[in-house]
Amino acid sequence: MLSNPPIICDTPIKIGRTTINVEIAKLHTRTLLEIPVIVERAKKDGPVLLITAGIHGDEVNGVEIVRQLIAKKYNKPTCGTIICIPVVNVFGFLDQRREFPDGRDLNRCFPGSKKGSLANRFAHFIMQEIVPHIDYCIDFHTGGASRFNYSQVRYNGDDKKCEELATVFGAKFQIRSSLRSNSFRQAASDAGKTVLMFEGGKALNLDKLVTKSGIEGAIRVIDALGMRDFSLEIEKMKPREEPIIITKSSWVRAKYSGLYRSYKSNGDKVMKGDKLGSISDPYGDFERIVKAPFDGYIICTNHSPIVNQGDALMHISKEYVNQ
Ligand SMILES: [Zn+2]
């Protein structure tokens, strides 16, 4: 819950929309770098939901999801407050790359420090100025590089509220995943916040189906938290598929280097021994079939046409339950 009167980043939050342009750094060109934080506060007090994307600057699909939530005014609650940060890592977004200009992955720098590297300082800022005000967070990500994640929501299985919201979100795959050290999700969870992490699509790519599932998930969560009645919108959505809850997963890696062709689609169920794809040299002499080492669902596939030995090809669920 917000304090009264609510103040975020030294800015009083009035009823309705407040855009805070947070000055985070000056570039070496002296250009001031600002991160817009868009706050929508209802007349009626209630939960505070933070919606973030672009912690990795090249994960544009998440940015598109938050952009559409704002453009369609779905971020206007009738109870409580919704804070949207569509592009957290503005540096990376400018350069179309994952990292901060200091080469660090922001999502490995939390909770950050006041006098550390640029990424550490920024993580510290988010933890000090934004996170204390929130109750819930949905953080949007995509697969890195050419790895395409099937729409999935990751959550802390030990947190019952988090599990409940993951089910409400309605992605086909619900992944009970441990908290990665120094990630935003870990730091915010340690601060007592309920955090859902969405993964869908791949870096530097927009995918309509992924965008749709991210938006629909956010709407369902906002509705379930009692922040706005979206029952009409939810009625129009395709009914949710029965979720598949994944408790363990593993990557199938390339045993050879070469041209890679996949025979399966993301989201497919495969059985042990099924042909997943093939790897060949470019000269027509050598070709090897990649087989499924166990039964499971494909939750991420590598779209790269050329792979090196050891590269991740497919992420497959190892232990799962159909609800
Ligand atoms: Zn990411």
Side-chain angles (χ1 to χ4, degrees):
M1 299 284 278
L2 292 173
S3 57
N4 205 2
I7 291 174
I8 298 178
C9 306
D10 301 323
T11 308
I13 305 300
K14 57 183 194 295
I15 306 287
R17 179 173 174 148
T18 305
T19 300
I20 310 164
N21 289 312
V22 180
E23 296 174 7
I24 58 152
K26 248 185 190 171
L27 299 178
H28 49 278
T29 51
R30 287 201 219 154
T31 310
L32 191 63
L33 207 61
E34 291 178 335
I35 295 188
V37 176
I38 295 143
V39 186
E40 287 280 359
R41 182 184 166 209
K43 258 187 206 160
K44 192 177 165 198
D45 277 342
V48 181
L49 170 67
L50 171 66
I51 302 178
T52 49
I55 280 189
H56 295 126
D58 59 356
E59 296 182 356
V60 292
N61 214 116
V63 177
E64 172 64 6
I65 291 168
V66 185
R67 181 198 74 80
Q68 284 201 35
L69 288 170
I70 298 167
K72 291 175 177 168
K73 301 188 171 36
Y74 293 152
N75 65 324
K76 281 173 168 286
T78 51
C79 171
T81 299
I82 297 179
I83 304 170
C84 288
I85 313 181
V87 188
V88 175
N89 176 2
V90 152
F91 296 102
F93 192 67
L94 277 168
D95 287 349
Q96 299 187 34
R97 60 190 284 245
R98 181 181 174 88
E99 298 86 7
F100 250 55
D102 58 7
R104 283 182 169 80
D105 181 336
L106 176 63
N107 214 22
R108 307 285 178 272
C109 291
F110 281 88
S113 61
K114 204 174 178 180
K115 292 185 173 170
S117 69
L118 191 57
N120 267 283
R121 287 174 194 220
F122 188 64
H124 182 259
F125 166 81
I126 299 265
M127 290 308 295
Q128 296 301 309
E129 300 295 330
I130 308 280
V131 170
H133 302 293
I134 68 165
D135 303 299
Y136 303 95
C137 173
I138 311 175
D139 186 26
F140 287 97
H141 287 258
T142 78
S146 53
R147 290 182 294 278
F148 193 109
N149 276 320
Y150 196 96
S151 293
Q152 53 195 261
V153 68
R154 299 185 184 181
Y155 66 101
N156 175 9
D158 299 330
D159 178 342
K160 285 294 141 207
K161 185 78 195 168
C162 204
E163 186 164 47
E164 231 178 272
L165 288 182
T167 306
V168 163
F169 193 96
K172 178 175 174 179
F173 296 117
Q174 268 174 242
I175 309 202
R176 222 179 266 173
S177 68
S178 49
L179 298 164
R180 193 188 272 266
S181 294
N182 302 111
S183 65
F184 172 55
R185 186 159 74 105
Q186 185 198 42
S189 300
D190 286 352
K193 315 301 176 182
T194 300
V195 187
L196 289 182
M197 183 175 154
F198 175 85
E199 283 275 1
K202 64 179 178 180
L204 297 176
N205 184 261
L206 293 181
D207 183 276
K208 276 188 185 168
L209 281 179
V210 170
T211 308
K212 192 164 174 270
S213 88
I215 292 168
E216 291 184 352
I219 284 176
R220 288 192 188 104
V221 169
I222 294 167
D223 180 88
L225 292 174
M227 299 179 76
R228 179 162 155 187
D229 180 5
F230 276 123
S231 48
L232 286 177
E233 287 80 357
I234 292 170
E235 232 170 70
K236 284 184 216 151
M237 294 176 194
K238 218 172 111 194
R240 281 180 297 179
E241 290 178 73
E242 284 304 305
I244 294 148
I245 297 174
I246 297 173
T247 49
K248 204 173 173 189
S249 57
S250 181
W251 282 96
V252 175
R253 293 186 177 273
K255 285 186 182 161
Y256 314 94
S257 301
L259 296 166
Y260 170 60
R261 289 160 300 273
S262 164
Y263 300 162
K264 297 285 182 188
S265 299
N266 222 352
D268 279 358
K269 189 174 184 185
V270 293
M271 305 307 282
K272 186 178 174 180
D274 280 359
K275 293 177 180 174
L276 300 179
S278 66
I279 297 174
S280 61
D281 70 7
Y283 312 110
D285 291 330
F286 165 91
E287 183 161 6
R288 290 287 182 276
I289 299 294
V290 181
K291 288 187 177 172
F294 43 80
D295 301 355
Y297 288 92
I298 301 170
I299 55 173
C300 182
T301 57
N302 191 342
H303 281 179
S304 173
I306 299 170
V307 293
N308 285 306
Q309 200 175 36
D311 278 359
L313 299 179
M314 280 185 191
H315 197 187
I316 302 181
S317 63
K318 230 174 173 178
E319 287 173 15
Y320 57 90
V321 275
N322 290 73
Q323 283 286 295

